[in-house]
Amino acid sequence: MAKFKKVVIPEGDKIVYKDGEIQVADNPIVLFIEGDGIGPDIWNATKTVLDGAVKKAYNGKKKIAWAEIYAGEKAVATYGKNQWLPAETVKAIEEYKVAIKGPLTTPVGGGIRSLNVALRQKLDLFACVRPVKYYPGTPSPVKKPGKLDIVLFRENTEDVYAGIEFKSGTKGADEVRAFINENYKHNIREKSGIGIKPISPFGTKRLVKMAIDYALSHNRKSVTLVHKGNIMKFTEGSFKDWGYEAAVKDYRDQVVTEDEVWEKHGGKVPEGKLLIKDRIADSMFQQILLRADEYDVVATPNLNGDYLSDAAAAQVGGLGIAPGANMSHEAALFEATHGTAPKYAGMDKVNPGSLILSGVMMLDHLGWKKATDLVEKAMKKTIRSKVVTYDFARQMTGAKEVKTSQFAKEIVKNMG
Ligand code: NAP
């Protein structure tokens, strides 16, 4: 067992993996990063709700043993100058597997692009998972927001986000341009900035397989591969091809492709089969608005997923309460998807919904379905009864505005 300088590990059981399956005892040790700005407010609210749900669901038989780890401003305060992401934070997540975090300030200067990106890279959290569904009562810009209920798996490590870029006018840009123009008969314009978009079979297949595993274990009906392969044939187009390849090779008995449905099954998905289909990215933005209920689990390369997850969250009015997680085969980091909103720090004012629903994803990951259901139902009830924080209250008529902590207590009260 690793020794830590500042992290205090409480009495409890380590979460482990056996044959690829997560093993969770009754008192699992789960790590948390409080976060900066509004982080402490929303974390306290989240802890109240998650502990309340677990206690109610299992009559005190199960209980999470929380262990604090540090990143962001609190890490600097705890470990010293420039210690925005201490090595033992990463080590603790590697060892204890499951963590939840509030938003973090992005340090200015000091060579760190973003703490979130650094965490994803160091832990190889290759999938960004975003469930998007409607909570009745939430102000939404569309007529039937309830039709959308998708879980988006976005590849996290490749694509134009791999960070291979050359600035206009630099030696690197000139050399890359000259190499491509001379050897591949292209005509990249002078002074172009250049970005490289790598998408690999390895990166694609592990992402698509995670999406399929999720769909199968959660009785979902389809997995849609979203790509722009009509234009970018050897990156986005290959993402589609490799995605189908993984589905057919590794899940042959459990899946059917859209082509097979038409060629062999008269246009009807055979009973009990998971449908694998694909859509071109621009069409997908129309589809989630016009035929939202035809989509279920969605797998995308990095950039498509970035755009699509925010568009989908906005459609259900949930940008401010959208949950998320970054995952590898073993480590999982659940997180609020908004920032630190520094002007509201310490005011007990903001909506803790994003972190609470990320906590719901975490309970689901632990296999604690009863507690998951309790939080979801109670949160729905609370929003429907219009007891909400300022951000929702300003868009609803007849709402009662409450503080962050009161909103959490109201959710626990509604678990009855
Ligand atoms: P932000 O913190 O997300 O805040 C922008 C606005 O969004 C807020 O002023 C507020 O709108 C609304 N908002 C955010 N969280 C809310 C909540 N829980 N409840 C209600 N409303 C909420 O974005 P930012 O101001 O661009 O970024 C601030 C800092 O956060 C930066 O350092 C940035 O790098 C960091 N950041 C961190 C993460 C992360 O750790 N995952 C993500 C994004 C940004 P109103 O003013 O209209 O009420």
Side-chain angles (χ1 to χ4, degrees):
M1 195 183 292
K3 286 255 181 299
F4 298 105
K5 273 195 274 180
K6 305 279 182 186
V7 178
V8 179
I9 300 295
E11 285 278 310
D13 304 302
K14 224 180 197 181
I15 293 171
V16 292
Y17 278 78
K18 205 172 151 203
D19 302 327
E21 296 287 326
I22 191 166
Q23 313 288 314
V24 182
D26 284 344
N27 296 106
I29 296 166
V30 173
L31 310 170
F32 71 93
I33 297 170
E34 197 176 58
D36 300 324
I38 54 173
D41 281 348
I42 60 172
W43 165 247
N44 286 330
T46 300
K47 186 172 178 299
T48 301
V49 171
L50 300 184
D51 284 345
V54 170
K55 191 170 173 198
K56 196 149 244 164
Y58 305 106
N59 292 322
K61 190 171 168 282
K62 291 184 192 290
K63 192 172 192 281
I64 294 173
W66 296 107
E68 182 163 18
I69 53 171
Y70 304 89
E73 288 163 2
K74 202 165 177 184
V76 172
T78 309
Y79 290 81
K81 204 169 163 224
N82 290 330
Q83 294 289 313
W84 291 90
L85 183 58
E88 67 178 34
T89 293
V90 176
K91 204 161 85 184
I93 301 174
E94 276 168 350
E95 184 163 342
Y96 289 92
K97 314 292 185 203
V98 177
I100 182 165
K101 68 174 265 298
L104 297 170
T105 305
T106 300
V108 181
I112 298 178
R113 189 155 51 121
S114 146
L115 292 173
N116 297 308
V117 173
L119 273 164
R120 278 171 219 165
Q121 286 174 346
K122 283 177 195 288
L123 292 158
D124 193 25
L125 303 173
F126 62 83
C128 175
V129 187
R130 297 267 186 99
V132 183
K133 70 171 166 193
Y134 184 60
Y135 286 83
T138 310
S140 148
V142 302
K143 283 186 190 146
K144 292 186 177 161
K147 283 192 162 195
L148 189 71
D149 179 359
I150 61 174
V151 182
L152 215 136
F153 287 75
R154 165 187 168 195
E155 207 288 327
N156 239 347
T157 64
E158 302 193 330
D159 201 346
V160 285
Y161 285 71
I164 313 170
E165 282 197 300
F166 300 91
K167 190 175 170 183
S168 162
T170 60
K171 184 167 168 274
D174 289 344
E175 282 173 359
V176 173
R177 174 174 163 267
F179 179 79
I180 294 174
N181 284 353
E182 280 160 28
N183 292 288
Y184 296 97
K185 309 288 171 241
H186 285 288
N187 189 18
I188 301 174
R189 287 194 186 114
E190 220 180 301
K191 299 282 178 216
S192 292
I194 298 175
I196 293 186
K197 179 182 173 80
I199 290 188
S200 72
F202 172 81
T204 301
K205 286 180 181 177
R206 67 176 177 173
L207 185 269
V208 171
K209 283 166 72 170
M210 187 184 266
I212 293 176
D213 286 335
Y214 177 91
L216 290 170
S217 64
H218 288 75
N219 289 321
R220 294 283 188 151
K221 291 193 164 44
S222 67
V223 173
T224 306
L225 310 169
V226 177
H227 60 91
K228 189 70 187 159
N230 53 333
I231 305 297
M232 293 170 271
K233 297 187 193 311
F234 305 127
T235 49
E236 302 259 336
S238 298
F239 176 88
K240 174 194 71 170
D241 295 340
W242 292 323
Y244 277 119
E245 218 175 277
V248 171
K249 180 168 171 282
D250 296 327
Y251 304 87
R252 183 59 283 185
D253 294 342
Q254 291 144 294
V255 302
V256 63
T257 66
E258 203 164 35
D259 281 350
E260 290 166 348
V261 167
W262 289 105
E263 283 161 15
K264 298 184 192 159
H265 304 283
K268 207 166 171 282
V269 178
E271 186 72 28
K273 298 277 185 193
L274 176 69
L275 174 64
I276 312 290
K277 53 187 175 179
D278 73 277
R279 293 291 178 270
I280 291 179
D282 41 316
S283 153
M284 188 64 182
F285 280 85
Q286 298 183 24
Q287 295 280 305
I288 58 165
L289 279 167
L290 303 173
R291 305 166 77 115
D293 49 0
E294 290 179 19
Y295 296 92
D296 205 332
V297 174
V298 175
T300 80
N302 212 334
L303 183 62
N304 297 336
D306 193 2
Y307 296 154
L308 195 59
S309 53
D310 269 22
Q315 187 169 324
V316 296
L319 251 182
I321 60 163
N326 288 292
M327 309 179 83
S328 70
H329 287 306
E330 291 203 349
L333 181 59
F334 298 85
E335 64 177 11
T337 54
H338 54 71
T340 57
K343 67 181 175 185
Y344 297 122
M347 289 170 67
D348 196 17
K349 182 178 172 78
V350 297
N351 194 336
S354 175
L355 197 58
I356 291 174
L357 292 175
S358 300
V360 169
M361 289 176 77
M362 191 196 84
L363 294 174
D364 180 60
H365 182 69
L366 300 182
W368 291 8
K369 182 91 181 68
K370 246 173 137 178
T372 308
D373 289 348
L374 269 182
V375 183
E376 279 221 299
K377 283 193 186 129
M379 181 126 161
K380 273 187 192 157
K381 192 170 168 191
T382 309
I383 295 173
R384 208 185 291 120
S385 69
K386 300 189 176 185
V387 178
V388 288
T389 46
Y390 83 98
D391 52 321
F392 277 16
R394 71 186 169 189
Q395 300 180 70
M396 287 172 158
T397 43
K400 180 181 170 199
E401 183 181 325
V402 292
K403 290 185 169 298
T404 312
S405 52
Q406 287 170 301
F407 182 67
K409 282 182 196 143
E410 192 70 16
I411 294 176
V412 175
K413 203 176 92 192
N414 282 334
M415 284 176 194

